[in-house]
Amino acid sequence: MATTVEIPVEPRPDDVAAAAQLEAIKAVSAAVAHGGALPETLDRIARVAAQLVRAQAAAIVLRERESQTGLAVAGSYGLGKKYSDHLNVTSPLEIGKGPSGLAAKHGKPVAIEDVMVDPLCAPWRGLAIRRHYRSLLSVPLRLGADRVIGVLNAYRGNPGPWASYEIDLLSLLADHAAIAIRTADLLDRARRQVDGLSLMVRSLRAQAHEHSNRLHAIYGLLALGEVDDARNLIAAVEEGYHSTYGSITRRIENATISGFLVAESAIARESGIELLLDRRSRLRELPAGLEDLDAVTVLGNLIHNAVDAVSAVPRSRRRVSVALLERPTGTTFRVRDWGPGVDDASLRRIFHRDYTTKPGHSGIGLALVQSVVHRAGGSISAERLRSDGLAVTVEFPR
């Protein structure tokens, strides 16, 4: 009797590529569905891209909002901070120049076999070699037929050509990633707007509660026939409000921010905390790329953290200082408290998502602040002060 031997059938390259593409698309969709901050989502997508074409590193480079020709690294995997800073600051990418710029301008892939010899890579060659990047593939991130929002780059450590199926794979992933990035951007924007509006509503609600208490006190005095005491209370309330209102609105011309600071000052005062606007503060307009609600998100979270930090210290230290400074080099926000401060370990992790030193808190606030600041082209840092307390400084360069 004859024996039948089954010979395993190797999958065709096309089948393998299709399966890899499907898994990559699923991973990109999962990154968006994860619901993290936009930079985190972009890093996840870059990781998927690198794994898809077996690259050492990958980067998502997007058009800058405030520039017609600028490109900036918005997310990466394996790229390294030095290389990202080099591309964003030292030798900025521009549409129409270099591999990324040409891919963005023409909407077509640009493959570099060896950065050592290709003239397109001259401005970035030195650092690329130090990072052991020898070949590069840049494909456009397209929304529709004629809109390119940036490029997706893949880097390898060895020189050599990119196979046509690899170019097709990364191009197809880039088309899907562009839609995913647009979706993630809209979700991130909505999240930030909700956070800003929530902070505004909280301030308004607290102010309404404060005014209600004062009205009840005035009504009680009038009911008891204590007209002079009622009059004195009304005068004191009016004087306190106008003093705070005047000192803030003279220095802060943005109506949303000045109104928010007036409300936060009143809320802090009700808790026995002094919220002070630094006398050097001057703000005529917000930095480019920072909208009103984004600024409320940044200041609101920093102020709330500072107020929480001083709520349990002796009364003499229950104060928070806010400085909003316009300089020729840029705009600075600084919130400083006189609380107990944080230890070194907490200081290193203070902007990490889900990290908090306060029981019952999510740890999202400062991570969200950092995301908003970076999105607007700024930087954020925290400093533990010798005289106790913490200062958080946000810088927006011009």
Side-chain angles (χ1 to χ4, degrees):
M1 184 175 179
T3 302
T4 302
V5 178
E6 292 187 5
I7 301 174
V9 178
E10 292 291 333
R12 294 177 302 170
D14 288 349
D15 295 335
V16 174
Q21 178 66 29
L22 180 59
E23 288 301 314
I25 289 174
K26 287 165 61 179
V28 167
S29 299
V32 177
H34 181 261
L38 184 61
E40 179 185 342
T41 301
L42 297 180
D43 289 346
R44 286 170 174 261
I45 295 174
R47 180 177 181 176
V48 172
Q51 293 173 341
L52 179 65
V53 293
R54 295 181 176 84
Q56 178 180 340
I60 293 175
V61 183
L62 301 179
R63 284 177 177 264
E64 293 183 307
R65 293 174 182 270
E66 304 301 322
S67 170
Q68 295 297 317
T69 61
L71 293 165
V73 176
S76 65
Y77 168 74
L79 195 64
K81 187 175 185 303
K82 276 190 176 181
Y83 198 78
S84 295
D85 289 346
H86 187 83
L87 296 181
N88 286 344
V89 180
T90 308
S91 187
L93 301 172
E94 292 185 41
I95 293 174
K97 297 181 180 179
S100 301
L102 290 173
K105 180 179 180 180
H106 300 296
K108 296 179 179 179
V110 175
I112 304 296
E113 294 187 11
D114 191 348
V115 300
M116 284 283 288
V117 298
D118 198 304
L120 288 177
C121 299
W124 310 280
R125 180 174 294 136
L127 187 58
I129 293 171
R130 288 196 294 275
R131 293 291 301 177
H132 306 291
Y133 302 146
R134 289 294 300 274
S135 56
L136 162 69
L137 175 59
S138 184
V139 299
L141 292 164
R142 291 176 295 216
L143 281 177
D146 55 359
R147 185 182 175 195
V148 177
I149 63 171
V151 295
L152 175 57
N153 289 347
Y155 304 83
R156 282 181 177 163
N158 296 319
W162 294 83
S164 58
Y165 79 90
E166 292 175 322
I167 297 174
D168 291 342
L169 272 178
L170 200 63
S171 296
L172 286 170
L173 179 66
D175 288 343
H176 181 76
I179 299 171
I181 290 168
R182 176 60 176 163
T183 302
D185 182 52
L186 292 173
L187 290 173
D188 188 69
R189 181 181 176 85
R191 188 184 302 113
R192 291 183 290 111
Q193 288 180 333
V194 168
D195 189 77
L197 287 170
S198 297
L199 291 170
M200 292 290 288
V201 169
R202 173 191 177 276
S203 294
L204 292 172
R205 185 180 291 124
Q207 268 197 310
H209 180 71
E210 177 193 16
H211 291 319
S212 177
N213 288 341
R214 288 171 173 173
L215 285 174
H216 287 151
I218 292 168
Y219 177 79
L221 290 172
L222 292 174
L224 293 171
E226 302 293 342
V227 176
D228 289 340
D229 287 343
R231 185 181 292 114
N232 290 337
L233 178 57
I234 292 171
V237 170
E238 185 178 22
E239 181 182 356
Y241 175 78
H242 283 294
S243 174
T244 302
Y245 178 84
S247 67
I248 292 175
T249 55
R250 281 198 306 271
R251 296 179 174 91
I252 310 302
E253 295 183 23
N254 181 286
T256 300
I257 303 305
S258 61
F260 180 71
L261 291 175
V262 169
E264 288 298 313
S265 179
I267 295 169
R269 187 167 58 248
E270 284 296 298
S271 302
I273 297 169
E274 190 175 17
L275 179 61
L276 303 169
L277 181 66
D278 190 300
R279 292 182 179 180
R280 299 170 297 170
S281 294
R282 291 291 185 278
L283 186 67
R284 290 172 297 177
E285 59 184 10
L286 292 174
L290 188 70
E291 299 177 0
D292 285 10
L293 288 178
D294 285 340
V296 168
T297 294
V298 171
L299 290 171
N301 279 288
L302 296 183
I303 289 172
H304 293 171
N305 283 349
V307 167
D308 285 346
V310 301
S311 60
V313 301
R315 185 170 294 276
S316 62
R317 288 168 49 196
R318 291 184 193 172
R319 63 186 188 277
V320 172
S321 172
V322 178
L324 307 179
L325 309 170
E326 281 186 339
R327 298 188 175 98
T329 55
T331 302
T332 300
F333 294 172
R334 188 173 190 268
V335 178
R336 186 250 202 265
D337 67 65
W338 277 259
V342 297
D343 58 30
D344 289 338
S346 296
L347 192 63
R348 287 192 295 269
R349 301 177 60 196
I350 197 168
F351 298 113
H352 290 189
R353 188 177 178 85
D354 300 327
Y355 178 75
T356 180
T357 59
K358 297 179 289 186
H361 287 252
S362 64
I364 293 176
L366 285 179
L368 178 60
V369 168
Q370 184 182 54
S371 174
V372 171
V373 170
H374 287 173
R375 185 184 179 84
S379 62
I380 184 169
S381 61
E383 174 189 7
R384 188 175 58 186
L385 304 173
R386 290 182 180 178
S387 56
D388 290 330
L390 186 74
V392 180
T393 302
V394 178
E395 301 276 1
F396 297 100
R398 289 198 185 281

